[in-house]
């Protein structure tokens, strides 16, 4: 019974979370998307279980989350020996963010 209550509360929270998203200051000032625009909506879609929508909104969401999770645990367990692994993860994730950002800017799409 308590599990159902927690699941229901979590579902209700996810439905209302869209009302509290932070606006992008770069898009507000310039009118152009920044490389991080779409991450909040993508994360919310991922939490709701809609992987396809999450990927369409921001393709780098899962790599960003994996990079931080692996990077934090590697740093915690291996300390300075994990520096190379963390740098490689950051470079791969950063590359994916920039590639998807360039694709968003230069490829025609409908919002």
């Amino acid at each position: 019974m308590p599990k159902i209550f927690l699941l229901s509360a979590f579902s209700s929270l996810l439905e209302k979370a869209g009302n509290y998203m932070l606006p992008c200051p770069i898009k507000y000032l310039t009118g152009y998307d920044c490389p991080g625009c779409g991450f909040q909506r993508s994360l919310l879609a991922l939490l709701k279980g809609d992987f396809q929508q999450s990927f369409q909104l921001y393709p780098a969401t899962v790599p960003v989350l994996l990079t931080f999770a692996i990077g934090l645990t590697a740093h915690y367990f291996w300390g300075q020996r994990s520096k190379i692994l963390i740098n490689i993860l950051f470079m791969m994730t950063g590359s994916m963010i920039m590639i998807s950002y360039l694709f968003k800017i230069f490829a025609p799409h409908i919002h």
Side-chain angles (χ1 to χ4, degrees):
M1 183 72 167
K3 292 179 184 179
I4 293 172
F5 176 73
L6 289 175
L7 185 60
S8 175
F10 184 69
S11 175
S12 176
L13 178 70
L14 287 179
E15 291 302 319
K16 295 178 183 176
N19 298 332
Y20 300 102
M21 290 192 184
L22 300 172
C24 177
I26 293 173
K27 187 168 185 168
Y28 176 75
L29 292 173
T30 65
Y32 296 106
D33 286 347
C34 75
C37 280
F39 180 76
Q40 290 181 94
R41 291 177 286 134
S42 176
L43 181 62
L44 187 59
L46 188 65
L47 289 173
K48 289 179 180 179
D50 192 352
F51 299 107
Q52 183 178 5
Q53 180 71 16
S54 175
F55 185 78
Q56 287 176 352
L57 289 169
Y58 193 74
T61 300
V62 173
V64 165
L65 296 174
L66 287 175
T67 296
F68 282 117
I70 293 169
L72 287 173
T73 55
H75 182 69
Y76 178 77
F77 288 113
W78 296 320
Q80 287 298 322
R81 293 182 293 163
S82 66
K83 189 174 184 175
I84 294 172
L85 171 67
I86 293 171
N87 286 340
I88 290 171
L89 287 171
F90 282 163
M91 293 298 288
M92 288 172 43
T93 304
S95 298
M96 186 169 189
I97 290 170
M98 290 312 297
I99 289 169
S100 65
Y101 180 62
L102 292 172
F103 185 79
K104 184 194 300 188
I105 290 175
F106 294 115
H109 61 282
I110 300 171
H111 286 279

